[in-house]
Amino acid sequence: MEHYSMNLTLKVWKQKNTGDKGQFETYQVKDISSEMSFLEMFDVLNEQLITEGKDAIAFDHDCREGICGMCSMYINGKAHGPWAQNTTCQLHMRAFKDGDTIVVEPWRSAAFPVIKDLMVDRGAFDRIIQAGGYISVNTGNAVDANALPIDKKNADDAFAAAACIGCGACVAACKNSSAMLFVSAKVSQLALLPQGQPERKTRVLNMVAQMDKEGFGNCTNTYACEAECPKGISVTNIARMNREFLSAGLSSEE
């Protein structure tokens, strides 16, 4: 693969805090390697800004291996950038050309208030998980893998749903800022497994109630969430969650 360097213009959203109006600011970066990751390019920019005595751009990151879900950036109008099923930290600069202008924004959702610059508060997702996205039984040591027979298709579907990293790209991509794909993935991965059956009904009712409380919008089936999801989580999980919710509501004693 050919290696090359490039000069770029960056239009980056700058916002001091949640209450600040915020605005785009323009930066120039030079001699950026095509093999850098997008976040490494931001590291170079921040080093440049610090050297100049300016405020560095705040952005979320952790593992930089595509599994933590923290690198939430809207790049040229797409969550996580132009590559399909790819996180920002795994996006390489060879996706761009010398002289390009790149527009970078935080997730846009009332449920994800901006903390600073490109960092948003995704505590709403944590509170949804706290509402029911777990199995509240102390099981001790892990049992042998073959101790609980599980249908192969169910195991595969649960594993695919569990691949969700909670980054929020689905919310950012949705015109309604819906969290249905995230919540449905968390509901599905436990609803499909034997360990999740005892709390199956209360789980979906409580998680959906918390999702609504957090101010996320509803799903209108445009499937932008699946298209932008870095892990390719399927919208079939939303259909499953709707069935789970309807079933739990009909059988509720309340």
Side-chain angles (χ1 to χ4, degrees):
M1 184 176 296
E2 181 184 359
H3 172 271
Y4 57 95
S5 295
M6 65 188 86
N7 299 329
L8 301 164
T9 299
L10 301 177
K11 292 185 177 180
V12 182
W13 185 259
K14 290 286 289 180
Q15 185 171 337
K16 293 180 180 179
N17 51 51
T18 304
D20 184 42
K21 185 177 181 180
Q23 62 183 8
F24 282 105
E25 294 193 7
T26 302
Y27 305 93
Q28 304 293 329
V29 288
K30 298 180 179 180
D31 298 324
I32 297 299
S33 168
S34 59
E35 297 311 298
M36 281 184 179
S37 73
F38 200 82
L39 297 191
E40 287 172 333
M41 181 273 293
F42 258 89
D43 290 338
V44 171
L45 174 58
N46 275 343
E47 288 287 346
Q48 175 182 313
L49 293 175
I50 292 169
T51 301
E52 295 171 356
K54 299 178 181 178
D55 187 28
I57 298 165
F59 63 91
D60 251 335
H61 65 98
D62 189 6
C63 74
R64 300 203 177 193
E65 295 177 349
I67 57 176
C68 75
M70 292 184 68
C71 55
S72 50
M73 294 185 189
Y74 219 70
I75 303 167
N76 285 347
K78 293 181 70 69
H80 292 297
W83 287 355
Q85 297 190 16
N86 195 83
T87 55
T88 301
C89 63
Q90 297 291 292
L91 175 67
H92 284 74
M93 297 310 297
R94 59 179 176 269
F96 306 96
K97 301 187 298 294
D98 183 36
D100 276 357
T101 296
I102 305 173
V103 181
V104 189
E105 305 171 69
W107 291 163
R108 302 292 192 182
S109 171
F112 288 162
V114 173
I115 299 173
K116 183 179 180 181
D117 300 341
L118 302 176
M119 296 178 65
V120 298
D121 181 359
R122 288 173 297 170
F125 273 10
D126 295 330
R127 292 186 288 273
I128 291 171
I129 294 296
Q130 291 167 1
Y134 54 85
I135 296 171
S136 58
V137 176
N138 294 323
T139 58
N141 293 334
V143 298
D144 184 84
N146 296 321
L148 289 173
I150 300 173
D151 179 80
K152 179 65 165 59
K153 185 180 186 307
N154 286 348
D156 289 345
D157 289 346
F159 186 85
C164 170
I165 58 177
C167 67
C170 51
V171 176
C174 178
K175 64 180 182 179
N176 302 323
S177 294
S178 173
M180 292 279 277
L181 191 68
F182 165 76
V183 179
S184 68
K186 301 306 178 183
V187 167
S188 291
Q189 72 179 70
L190 297 177
L192 289 163
L193 298 175
Q195 297 93 331
Q197 299 311 303
E199 296 168 297
R200 184 172 179 174
K201 294 179 180 179
T202 57
R203 175 182 300 112
V204 67
L205 292 175
N206 291 341
M207 292 182 74
V208 169
Q210 186 65 39
M211 174 181 69
D212 292 341
K213 182 179 178 181
E214 295 294 342
F216 292 105
N218 208 343
C219 175
T220 49
N221 298 311
T222 60
Y223 301 162
C225 53
E226 179 181 305
E228 300 292 343
C229 176
K231 298 302 175 181
I233 304 299
S234 173
V235 292
T236 58
N237 288 298
I238 297 178
R240 182 181 293 109
M241 185 182 75
N242 287 337
R243 292 194 300 269
E244 292 284 326
F245 184 80
L246 179 61
S247 175
L250 290 174
S251 61
S252 175
E253 295 179 356
E254 297 181 358

